[in-house]
Amino acid sequence: MIGEPLLRVRGLAVAFGRGGDRANAVDGVSFSLHAGQTLAVVGESGSGKSVTALSLLRLLPEPPARIVAGQAWLAGQDGAPAEDLLAMTPRQMRAIRGRRIAMIFQEPMSSLNPVYAIGDQIVEAVRLHQRVGRAEARAAAAAALADVGIDDPAGRLDAYPHQFSGGMRQRVMIAMALACRPAVLLADEPTTALDVTVQAQILDLIGSLQRSRGLGVVLITHALGLVARCAHVACVMYAGRVVEYAPVSELLAAPLHPYTRGLMSCTPALHAAASRLVTVRDVVEDRSSFERIAGTPGWTAWWPEHPPPPDARAAPGPGGSSVLHEVTPGRWVALWHTAELEAMHSREPDVPLTPATVASAR
């Protein structure tokens, strides 16, 4: 039996600035994450990936950031009801961060405090969420370092960040994030600035810990290679909105939204000679690519720089005149909202963890 999602995000909208008309940096984002599942949030820089993750942990300064709409339901423990992260008080969120949902930030070189030993930084996280003494917290910190493959973990607790390589610092960040055994891990480009060998080690480490603990992982990335290697489900974002949502194997085999096709076209082939690489704009400026979505009655894909179809209308909630619609079973695409779509029912995006989706992540 497939359980309820660990995390259900519905209609998340985040704006920056004070008053007046402004576009949302995140505009109607919805997704679901199950235990043991990796959801890849993929897109160009500026598409809203990191803002989405930071909003879930309520780490954006308010003001200038403001959560305009949405819910983010985190499953409760031991049969307790799910709780909306976006409706919590600051005190309630402090009890959730690190204990139930944790985050690995970009740039391991700058994420650790250089004037504190790494053991002190991990111990602080442990003691914040667990009623233990310092000795027990240091033992938990050493165990966390051992879990991420750092030799002599008890001895390295008193080392400082500058005494670790980039890959080891990233392992320390993972140890800190997982020290309190959270249910959900938000990994914001966890392999940034690391060489490819270390990248593979870090990804294998996260995958191993995920399988042993049943972690739900949200992997934020712009690299389709990482998506193909690690993720079960892909959530493609552009301009703050989800434009396609599907199992990774299906999305890579037959992308439906022109923007997804544009992203995939930007990846150079090893044995194909070309004088110029394809860009996303080369694909999306072709108006004909937006006339029909494969396998549908002819609905038009949403794109902010193209005029809407004549029968487009305002969609309810965030997103303006676009709607994320299930065009084929298990495949959601951002479409211009029309009278035809308004009359149809579309499930919220949710791809459960099944043998098929597990097999899609190699």
Side-chain angles (χ1 to χ4, degrees):
M1 180 177 177
I2 297 171
E4 288 296 309
L6 284 175
L7 181 65
R8 293 184 295 117
V9 178
R10 296 294 179 261
L12 174 64
V14 181
F16 289 88
R18 300 175 185 269
D21 295 331
R22 58 187 180 274
N24 292 334
V26 171
D27 202 8
V29 167
S30 296
F31 61 80
S32 298
L33 177 71
H34 290 260
Q37 186 178 67
T38 297
L39 168 71
V41 181
V42 62
E44 298 172 84
S45 296
S47 60
K49 307 185 300 297
S50 295
V51 171
T52 297
L54 292 171
S55 299
L56 297 179
L57 283 179
R58 305 283 294 282
L59 291 177
L60 294 172
E62 302 179 26
R66 184 166 67 91
I67 296 177
V68 178
Q71 297 86 37
W73 297 97
L74 179 65
Q77 291 179 292
D78 302 323
E83 300 174 280
D84 184 3
L85 298 172
L86 305 185
M88 289 183 177
T89 65
R91 182 175 181 178
Q92 289 172 320
M93 279 304 305
R94 283 195 295 271
I96 290 291
R97 294 190 200 105
R99 184 174 64 89
R100 293 286 294 140
I101 179 169
M103 186 168 182
I104 302 171
F105 298 93
Q106 292 188 43
E107 297 293 347
M109 304 296 183
S110 58
S111 295
L112 293 167
N113 192 321
V115 301
Y116 289 97
I118 63 155
D120 292 335
Q121 298 183 56
I122 301 175
V123 164
E124 180 184 19
V126 173
R127 297 193 69 185
L128 183 64
H129 297 292
Q130 301 180 25
R131 295 182 178 180
V132 296
R134 182 167 180 80
E136 292 175 274
R138 280 184 65 87
L145 292 183
D147 286 342
V148 298
I150 292 180
D151 294 332
D152 187 21
R156 301 304 295 274
L157 288 175
D158 295 320
Y160 287 83
H162 71 271
Q163 295 175 288
F164 289 79
S165 67
M168 289 296 105
R169 291 185 201 181
Q170 193 64 298
R171 288 173 183 263
V172 171
M173 290 298 301
I174 296 171
M176 188 182 303
L178 300 182
C180 295
R181 295 187 172 269
V184 175
L185 176 66
L186 308 178
D188 189 357
E189 304 206 24
T191 58
T192 297
L194 302 177
D195 63 61
V196 292
T197 302
V198 178
Q199 283 185 24
Q201 293 172 354
I202 294 299
L203 293 171
D204 289 343
L205 171 62
I206 293 175
S208 175
L209 293 171
Q210 178 186 40
R211 289 187 293 273
S212 64
R213 300 185 183 186
L215 266 176
V217 177
V218 177
L219 174 65
I220 298 172
T221 183
H222 61 270
L224 289 173
L226 296 187
V227 176
R229 184 179 188 274
C230 303
H232 305 104
V233 182
C235 173
V236 183
M237 289 186 66
Y238 177 81
R241 306 188 195 183
V242 178
V243 295
E244 188 162 356
Y245 188 99
V248 166
S249 57
E250 296 182 25
L251 182 136
L252 295 181
L256 298 183
H257 195 281
Y259 177 71
T260 311
R261 297 201 297 270
L263 276 182
M264 294 178 63
S265 298
C266 293
T267 303
L270 288 177
H271 304 293
S275 59
R276 176 179 174 274
L277 294 177
V278 176
T279 68
V280 170
R281 186 158 297 280
D282 292 336
V283 177
V284 299
E285 282 187 344
D286 179 7
R287 290 288 303 278
S288 64
S289 67
F290 283 78
E291 294 305 319
R292 181 177 294 275
I293 299 296
T296 72
W299 299 318
T300 304
W302 170 84
W303 186 252
E305 299 175 20
H306 287 181
D311 57 342
R313 56 180 61 192
S321 56
S322 72
V323 61
L324 191 63
H325 187 75
E326 189 177 21
V327 296
T328 60
R331 302 291 301 273
W332 287 263
V333 177
L335 306 174
W336 287 107
H337 189 55
T338 62
E340 180 186 5
L341 289 178
E342 194 168 82
M344 300 177 67
H345 172 71
S346 182
R347 297 185 299 118
E348 293 287 352
D350 181 11
V351 180
L353 192 64
T354 64
T357 56
V358 168
S360 69
R362 290 176 292 183

